[in-house]
Amino acid sequence: MHELSIVEGLIDIIRETAQTHGLNRVEKVTLRIGAMRQIVPDALNFAFEVLGKGTIAEGAEVVITVVPTKARCGECGSEFTVDDCCFICTSCGSGGVVVTEGKELYIDSIEGE
Ligand SMILES: [Zn+2]
């Protein structure tokens, strides 16, 4: 369950951000996570609940936006959304594609008071 180590890192960032903005309590965290990260939202929520205990992020609502995987073909330049695991250009069938989206993992917003 790699969600645990991810959440550990996220809580560090949340703590720092909350300090910078003078928040005493974090109520909502919005995350953008690329489909390639293969995050299980339930597992991430659970990890957040466990690791968030006793931190500024305790009890915060976690909203996860999954970013679909996108790729660009190195042969014909067309861009397309990758379904599951088929990294093959939908226009020309080339396998020489570069992933452009789907690996991101960052905090979109933090709300609190
Ligand atoms: Zn192509």
Side-chain angles (χ1 to χ4, degrees):
M1 198 163 116
H2 66 313
E3 282 83 359
L4 276 174
S5 57
I6 289 169
V7 169
E8 255 171 10
L10 289 175
I11 288 178
D12 279 348
I13 297 168
I14 292 166
R15 193 184 288 132
E16 279 171 29
T17 310
Q19 258 168 17
T20 309
H21 295 276
L23 299 176
N24 295 313
R25 206 162 69 90
V26 174
E27 287 171 350
K28 187 175 169 184
V29 180
T30 311
L31 306 173
R32 283 181 78 79
I33 300 177
M36 283 185 79
R37 293 278 182 167
Q38 300 191 313
I39 298 284
V40 181
D42 280 353
L44 192 132
N45 273 312
F46 177 72
F48 208 91
E49 228 179 278
V50 172
L51 294 171
K53 276 208 173 74
T55 74
I56 193 162
E58 179 167 3
E61 181 192 352
V62 181
V63 179
I64 300 166
T65 307
V66 177
V67 183
T69 306
K70 285 193 181 151
R72 186 189 300 117
C73 176
E75 294 291 323
C76 72
S78 76
E79 287 190 61
F80 56 96
T81 303
V82 179
D83 293 321
D84 298 324
C85 57
C86 302
F87 290 91
I88 290 169
C89 176
T90 49
S91 296
C92 72
S94 164
V97 299
V98 180
V99 173
T100 54
E101 275 179 56
K103 290 180 182 170
E104 45 275 273
L105 198 172
Y106 61 87
I107 297 170
D108 210 21
S109 69
I110 295 174
E111 289 171 34
E113 55 186 30

